[in-house]
Amino acid sequence: MKKKKCIAMLLAGGQGSRLGSLTSSIAKPAVSFGGKYRIIDFSLSNCVNSGIDTVGILVQYKPLILNKYVGTGESWDMAVADGGVHILPPYAGETGGEWYEGTADAIYHNIDFIDLYSPEHVLILSGDHIYKTDYNKMLEVHEANKADLTVSVIEVPIEEASRFGIMTADDEGNIVKFTEKPKEPDSNLASMGIYIFSWPSLRKALLEDHEDHDSEHDFGKNIIPKMLEEKKKLIVYRFEGYWRDVGTVDSYYESQMDLMDDVESINVFTKDARVFSNSNIYPPQYIGPEANIGKALISNGCTVYGDVDHSILGSGVVIGEGSVIKDSIILPNAIIGRNCTINKAIVNEGVVVDDRTEIGDADGKIVVYGTSKLSV
Amino acid sequence: MKTIGLISANYQGKGFGELTEERTLASVPYGGRYRLIDFALSNMANSGITTIGIVAPYTSGSLIDHIGIGNPWSLGRKNGGLFLMPGSVYGVQAEGRRFLIRDVLKNIKFFERDDADYVIISSSTDVYNMDYKPLIKQHSESDRAMTVVYKKVPRGEDYEGFFIDISEDGRVEKFNTSAEGWGNYFIDCCIVNREFMLEFLKWFGALEYMDFFDVVKDHLDVFNVGAFEFRGYFGRVRSTSDLLKVNQDMTDYVIRNEVFCNPERTIYTKTQDEAPVFYLPGSDVRNSTISAGCTIEGKVENSTIFRSVTIEEGAVVRNSVIMMHCHIGKDVVLDNVICDKYVTINDGVKIFGSEDKPVVIGKEMTI
């Protein structure tokens, strides 16, 4: 196997329970996003756009659609001879099998995989972040500082800092303190859950953590505090730009709307640093004779007879005559009947909405409608 | 009953002007995201055919770029797969003729090396979605050398190609020109026994400058030829006005569902992975087909808009076909216009063609 400078490990096994019915039958990274994308597209595209061609994807919760979607990685130019994408589920050994118990435990169980490529550095990513970046910039900082660990951080308003894992750094960027959800934060640098470890340091930390039976085997709770304690070289990398964790229905909704409302910050239309996806082959969309389209993002394969205003339609969606879709996101292959009114809602994948249905909350809360019927 | 496929792309059409100056008719863009050859290829792939040869002309750059190793049609295989075969120079001048014997002769190994029972032979430039399995079944249950596919068409003017007379027991008795007979239009597709094809090439190799069907037509008393009726939508593309029409046919609910939205028989094409279409306030789109990657601020009516087209505010695009990467400026008016790829129409320009004679704007032009 060719030696790699840096490979990525993408944590994609969590359930994402705060997304409710959106993840009832699908892992969070595979949830539809922005019409034709799935959440994982952003991280995978960042990798390929940064020249990282070897990615381990750690799966556990309902991985069927995710596995099918990632496939050989060809859609992200990752069907390469040395490297490529590897789906890494929990597995059994001579002494039985175990589920991944935590983020660090998932990586621990794949030490052999990482050793195959004997990389100098390992980039740890979450499969549920929306952002565009070049990881090389972070890697440069990591290497220049000869760090054991570099943590990507973003400035948050100090009054919101108590919702995040907060890094306190000195003037040179060395991390001096890490506090999970501090009551009285002394820094506004929030950890984004994106780490670059030097592989020997991470390897050692994982082996030790595995022996520690009090550990929850979590990067934030266990690995980082222990490395700090051991006076390892931990530094921050200050990320600038658009970054969203789509862990809640509100953030999932808002960051999708940003694709059309805030193109300056998160641009999926530009040809540089493209966001790639594994798109099924749909015919182009058809807009009917009576349709009225306001501001909208509409994907391939849609058939629109009704009105769409400030909304996103996923691939293969049908909007029946007389229906009015406003401030909403219709996930792929949902069929909206005639004379429906949908206001500030998310309609799950493949849901059939009967004629004259009204969806929307009087208080303006985002409604998630229907149970996904996924097709592969 | 193994069947392989042979697609002829080594011919041009007359009257396509600049659209076919640098590309073969088979790779003319169609329907927002397709090329004409996608239909022949997808029909075969969807009918379980996994070995397909394409006879390509020497102007096949755009065709090869589009098809690659055939992955969208699942033809990147170890067993069988896609064979791009060079056609003869003669082909590109051969208007109207689609299956030159010398093209087949030149690639005779394609037939010799395979052990298939049958070969489906198809042209590459008409729009239809057909399941070949019933054709293969009918043919294999007959004792005929070949079975040709036809479509019943209403009477029209000056139809290029052949119409067939069929006897009561289903044998093809005569190939007519449109002046001689009308009704059963031969859609340039047939299934033939592979062994018969090899024999045929032995007998008629000396007539290599002729078209396969011109020879068949003169030997219907010797060759036992059957007929199979195709009842679906058939979009014939023989002129720019046809091209405009078949693009507009795509907005018909029934045709769109039959040809493009059949989950059992997807029309495959090369994917470009563009972003969803971005509609901005002020856009007004009616009865049109729009492809991914477009940004629309103007008015679009009865038109087909290909990938990554920008239509600026105040622009009006009516009854037109705008191919990929075009830029339509502010307050432009286009009516019955076909813009090839990468055309720029500057602010305020107004161009009017007609249904019968659409204005064609050549690739990469700025107006």
Side-chain angles (χ1 to χ4, degrees):
Chain A
M1 212 56 83
K2 267 188 206 159
K3 209 166 143 25
K4 299 278 179 185
K5 185 174 175 190
C6 181
I7 72 170
M9 298 296 274
L10 205 158
L11 298 161
Q15 181 183 347
S17 51
R18 285 177 301 161
L19 285 179
S21 72
L22 287 162
T23 54
S24 63
S25 52
I26 191 168
K28 184 159 72 163
V31 169
S32 163
F33 191 90
K36 67 166 290 190
Y37 305 98
R38 294 193 182 272
I39 292 170
I40 197 173
D41 286 334
F42 289 81
S43 300
L44 282 178
S45 300
N46 285 338
C47 283
V48 71
N49 291 330
S50 308
I52 294 172
D53 65 0
T54 306
V55 181
I57 302 178
L58 298 128
V59 300
Q60 178 154 287
Y61 173 80
K62 297 196 175 172
L64 173 65
I65 303 290
L66 182 60
N67 294 355
K68 157 86 183 162
Y69 184 72
V70 171
T72 62
E74 194 186 348
S75 300
W76 301 269
D77 284 350
M78 284 202 199
V80 293
D82 292 299
V85 291
H86 305 258
I87 298 278
L88 303 170
Y91 57 88
E94 293 91 340
T95 53
E98 286 153 359
W99 295 108
Y100 294 152
E101 301 291 342
T103 50
D105 186 57
I107 307 293
Y108 167 82
H109 282 286
N110 290 287
I111 286 177
D112 288 351
F113 167 76
I114 301 174
D115 279 343
L116 277 181
Y117 293 99
S118 36
E120 292 167 43
H121 312 286
V122 176
L123 170 65
I124 307 283
L125 299 172
S126 279
D128 55 356
H129 293 171
I130 303 298
Y131 63 120
K132 288 174 78 172
T133 192
D134 181 351
Y135 296 123
N136 286 313
K137 290 187 206 152
M138 182 177 172
L139 190 57
E140 273 167 29
V141 172
H142 176 75
E143 283 193 299
N145 284 280
K146 298 195 172 58
D148 292 295
L149 164 62
T150 302
V151 179
S152 191
V153 294
I154 191 163
E155 285 186 22
V156 293
I158 192 85
E159 58 273 18
E160 286 179 34
S162 54
R163 287 170 37 219
F164 295 90
I166 291 296
M167 298 284 168
T168 313
D170 66 17
D171 293 345
E172 271 98 56
N174 294 301
I175 297 170
V176 292
K177 198 170 102 189
F178 169 61
T179 352
E180 190 71 58
K181 297 184 180 148
K183 285 204 181 68
E184 286 168 23
D186 56 4
S187 157
N188 66 341
L189 300 178
S191 165
M192 296 157 67
I194 299 168
Y195 314 112
I196 294 179
F197 286 92
S198 83
W199 175 227
S201 309
L202 174 61
R203 201 176 189 284
K204 183 167 165 287
L206 290 172
L207 291 170
E208 287 169 9
D209 178 71
H210 182 68
E211 297 304 320
D212 178 358
H213 297 291
D214 297 328
S215 172
E216 290 178 48
H217 309 302
D218 184 87
F219 279 108
K221 288 183 191 141
N222 310 103
I223 300 284
I224 297 173
K226 183 146 179 286
M227 286 178 87
L228 260 179
E229 211 172 279
E230 291 169 352
K231 302 266 184 279
K232 301 279 190 200
K233 178 93 174 159
L234 271 59
I235 60 161
V236 292
Y237 168 74
R238 289 166 183 263
F239 177 88
E240 280 168 14
Y242 185 96
W243 175 81
R244 296 288 185 278
D245 175 339
V246 288
T248 63
V249 171
D250 282 0
S251 64
Y252 172 71
Y253 173 90
E254 280 156 17
S255 54
Q256 289 186 81
M257 290 303 183
D258 286 344
L259 296 184
M260 61 177 168
D261 293 340
D262 192 7
V263 177
E264 303 269 296
S265 303
I266 179 86
N267 188 338
V268 294
F269 308 103
T270 171
K271 293 289 177 231
D272 45 76
R274 280 180 62 184
V275 181
F276 299 97
S277 71
N278 179 359
S279 42
N280 285 323
I281 297 187
Y282 288 93
Q285 59 198 258
Y286 170 66
I287 309 296
E290 308 293 330
N292 289 302
I293 315 281
K295 193 179 197 182
L297 276 186
I298 303 186
S299 310
N300 272 338
C302 287
T303 310
V304 182
Y305 290 101
D307 296 355
V308 180
D309 185 25
H310 194 245
S311 295
I312 300 175
L313 307 187
S315 310
V317 163
V318 177
I319 308 291
E321 268 168 25
S323 288
V324 178
I325 316 297
K326 193 166 168 18
D327 300 324
S328 293
I329 300 168
I330 315 296
L331 300 189
N333 299 310
I335 312 283
I336 313 296
R338 292 172 191 190
N339 302 312
C340 296
T341 307
I342 300 183
N343 210 344
K344 208 166 183 191
I346 299 169
V347 176
N348 260 317
E349 276 193 57
V351 170
V352 177
V353 177
D354 294 334
D355 292 355
R356 289 180 294 279
T357 304
E358 293 194 6
I359 304 171
D361 183 277
D363 302 329
K365 215 172 132 248
I366 298 159
V367 178
V368 180
Y369 185 86
T371 309
S372 295
K373 282 177 199 67
L374 298 162
S375 54
V376 287
Chain B
M1 284 191 308
K2 189 183 166 192
T3 307
I4 60 175
L6 180 74
I7 295 171
S8 171
N10 190 21
Y11 59 89
Q12 280 298 28
K14 52 186 163 206
F16 285 90
E18 294 177 79
L19 290 178
T20 51
E21 209 160 79
E22 283 176 22
R23 59 164 86 86
T24 152
L25 192 53
S27 58
V28 164
Y30 162 78
R33 66 173 310 184
Y34 305 98
R35 303 285 182 136
L36 290 174
I37 198 170
D38 290 340
F39 296 89
L41 268 172
S42 301
N43 287 342
M44 288 187 183
N46 289 331
S47 305
I49 297 174
T50 53
T51 300
I52 301 176
I54 298 174
V55 182
Y58 72 85
T59 52
S60 56
S62 70
L63 187 71
I64 292 167
D65 177 37
H66 179 68
I67 294 170
I69 59 166
N71 269 349
W73 300 272
S74 309
L75 292 172
R77 303 165 52 91
K78 287 181 180 164
N79 194 354
L82 179 77
F83 295 83
L84 267 175
M85 307 186 292
S88 60
V89 177
Y90 185 73
V92 283
Q93 291 125 35
E95 288 172 347
R97 293 291 172 267
R98 300 180 163 216
F99 305 95
L100 282 179
I101 292 173
R102 70 171 69 179
D103 281 350
V104 185
L105 209 54
K106 212 173 155 186
N107 296 292
I108 193 166
K109 293 225 154 35
F110 178 73
F111 297 97
E112 284 175 348
R113 279 189 189 147
D114 211 284
D115 61 353
D117 303 293
Y118 311 114
V119 187
I120 289 183
I121 298 181
S122 165
S123 62
S124 52
T125 51
D126 295 313
V127 175
Y128 63 107
N129 186 335
M130 176 174 174
D131 181 4
Y132 289 136
K133 288 194 285 292
L135 167 69
I136 298 169
K137 184 164 183 288
Q138 177 187 312
H139 180 73
S140 67
E141 285 166 4
S142 75
D143 55 356
R144 303 189 200 276
M146 59 193 287
T147 300
V148 298
V149 182
Y150 68 95
K151 163 91 187 159
K152 285 199 160 83
V153 294
R155 182 162 279 279
E157 300 288 311
D158 184 30
Y159 238 74
E160 187 189 281
F162 291 122
F163 291 83
I164 55 172
D165 289 345
I166 308 165
S167 75
E168 267 176 30
D169 67 347
R171 180 161 169 165
V172 176
E173 292 180 316
K174 197 161 175 284
F175 274 54
N176 302 307
T177 61
S178 59
E180 294 165 333
W182 203 273
N184 303 325
Y185 186 60
F186 169 50
I187 65 171
D188 287 324
C189 175
C190 78
I191 182 167
V192 50
N193 298 345
R194 187 181 61 92
E195 299 285 345
F196 172 81
M197 197 68 195
L198 286 170
E199 288 292 304
F200 178 96
L201 292 171
K202 261 187 230 160
W203 301 329
F204 295 97
L207 301 177
E208 59 160 17
Y209 55 89
M210 286 189 73
D211 186 272
F212 177 66
F213 288 101
D214 280 335
V215 177
V216 170
K217 164 176 88 108
D218 295 336
H219 294 80
L220 287 169
D221 51 338
V222 194
F223 304 156
N224 186 353
V225 178
F228 180 90
E229 185 185 353
F230 172 59
R231 291 196 172 87
Y233 167 83
F234 180 71
R236 184 172 155 273
V237 183
R238 302 293 162 102
S239 65
T240 47
S241 126
D242 282 350
L243 191 63
L244 201 60
K245 184 179 176 306
V246 291
N247 270 294
Q248 280 172 1
D249 281 349
M250 242 188 120
T251 61
D252 181 288
Y253 178 79
V254 176
I255 296 172
R256 180 176 158 88
N257 272 320
E258 178 198 318
V259 180
F260 302 96
C261 302
N262 182 339
E264 301 297 321
R265 297 206 307 271
T266 303
I267 301 298
Y268 297 100
T269 189
K270 181 179 173 183
T271 52
Q272 302 283 4
D273 204 4
E274 301 286 354
V277 180
F278 192 11
Y279 292 93
L280 287 146
S283 69
D284 183 6
V285 179
R286 313 265 161 171
N287 196 42
S288 293
T289 307
I290 318 279
S291 308
C294 290
T295 305
I296 314 269
E297 281 193 86
K299 189 171 171 168
V300 182
E301 213 177 317
N302 303 329
S303 295
T304 303
I305 312 296
F306 283 66
R307 291 186 271 225
S308 298
V309 168
T310 307
I311 298 181
E312 295 215 42
E313 57 177 301
V316 179
V317 177
R318 228 182 277 127
N319 309 317
S320 294
V321 173
I322 311 295
M323 294 184 186
M324 40 287 214
H325 301 287
C326 286
H327 185 100
I328 311 298
K330 290 194 175 79
D331 304 317
V332 165
V333 179
L334 301 178
D335 197 340
N336 284 297
V337 173
I338 300 178
C339 288
D340 203 334
K341 294 162 69 174
Y342 293 100
V343 163
T344 303
I345 310 284
N346 286 323
D347 294 357
V349 173
K350 296 180 170 57
I351 304 172
F352 299 89
S354 70
E355 213 173 298
D356 298 334
K357 233 181 160 2
V359 173
V360 177
I361 316 246
K363 202 169 159 182
E364 291 166 7
M365 281 182 74
T366 299
I367 290 183

